[in-house]
Amino acid sequence: MTRTPSDVDVVLPCLNEAEALPWVLERIPPGWRALVVDNGSTDGSAEIARACGATVVHEPRRGFGAACHAGLTAATAEVVCFCDCDASLDPSLLVPFVHEVRDGEADLVLGRRRPRGRGAWPAHARAGNLALARLLRRRTGLRLHDLGPLRAARREQLLALGLTDRRSGYPLQMVVRAADAGWRIAEHDVPYLPRTGASKVTGTWRGTWQAVRDMSRVLGEPPAHGGGTVR
């Protein structure tokens, strides 16, 4: 039986995810703390999160990166994980990610999304992700396939990256700066389910390409010394 590591915070950026929250929160591993970052929900998400035992962090400034970073700065655990709050990803899948970080096998572990079920990953969202993965490879040399939101790393190291993007470019900036700092980056397949509710970012072509534009700005940052490796 796999031992569940302790002292872990899971950051869950949330904007109107009342329907999905119970499913997500009941899958947080025992002993871990769920940090639901409410980004201006109007559907009672914060109240549902509290009722399910989560710690709620309020971030009034809209933006995926703003919510993620508010959760990171509120975290106190040695290892911090990130997961979407729309029931497309199961946070229990983070257990081996945390073991890998704790055992010193990787500094950042990412989930490579593998769609399960009709409509799990729209074609335009896949196309945008593929384009960004190619640009990332050109920028850093990392042969990653996805920039998915399921990830784990040590809190102090994440804070030291000095992440500044507060929109859709936040996940990419984390990977780019980690690569520049020489982090060991691992990628593992994870099932990707049809999300509950409408996507705020990749549900439309317009949203997807706005995210691509945000991330393209991140890729324009001048590279720092060092270089990451991917496993």
Side-chain angles (χ1 to χ4, degrees), residues 8-156:
V8 177
D9 285 338
V10 184
V11 175
L12 299 155
C14 176
L15 175 59
N16 294 329
E17 301 290 4
E19 188 179 350
L21 270 168
W23 186 94
V24 174
L25 293 174
E26 72 181 11
R27 285 165 174 76
I28 298 292
W32 292 17
R33 182 171 65 145
L35 293 172
V36 174
V37 185
D38 186 67
N39 203 207
S41 298
T42 58
D43 66 348
S45 289
E47 291 74 17
I48 290 171
R50 288 193 191 93
C52 291
T55 297
V56 175
V57 177
H58 290 283
E59 174 49 70
R61 181 169 48 166
R62 286 290 181 90
F64 183 77
C68 287
H69 203 71
L72 175 60
T73 56
T76 57
E78 177 190 7
V79 175
V80 175
C81 299
F82 296 84
C83 181
D84 275 354
C85 211
D86 58 10
S88 62
L89 292 163
D90 185 341
S92 68
L93 298 171
L94 287 162
V95 170
F97 288 24
V98 172
H99 278 300
E100 199 165 348
V101 171
R102 284 273 180 79
D103 293 344
E105 298 171 5
D107 302 304
L108 175 64
V109 185
L110 307 171
R112 179 186 182 184
R113 292 169 289 183
R114 294 293 199 173
R116 299 286 189 273
R118 185 181 179 90
W121 203 353
H124 55 268
R126 291 198 210 190
N129 189 74
L130 179 62
L132 287 166
R134 288 173 174 168
L135 291 171
L136 176 68
R137 186 176 303 175
R138 188 179 305 163
R139 164 67 170 74
T140 66
L142 294 176
R143 298 185 66 83
L144 294 173
H145 301 86
D146 190 13
L147 299 169
L150 199 70
R151 50 186 64 193
R154 294 184 184 274
R155 178 177 60 88
E156 291 187 2

Side-chain angles (χ1 to χ4, degrees), residues 141-173:
L142 294 176
R143 298 185 66 83
L144 294 173
H145 301 86
D146 190 13
L147 299 169
L150 199 70
R151 50 186 64 193
R154 294 184 184 274
R155 178 177 60 88
E156 291 187 2
Q157 286 182 296
L158 284 170
L159 289 170
L161 291 177
L163 302 176
T164 56
D165 191 280
R166 296 296 181 264
R167 291 172 43 131
S168 302
Y170 188 88
L172 177 61
Q173 188 179 56

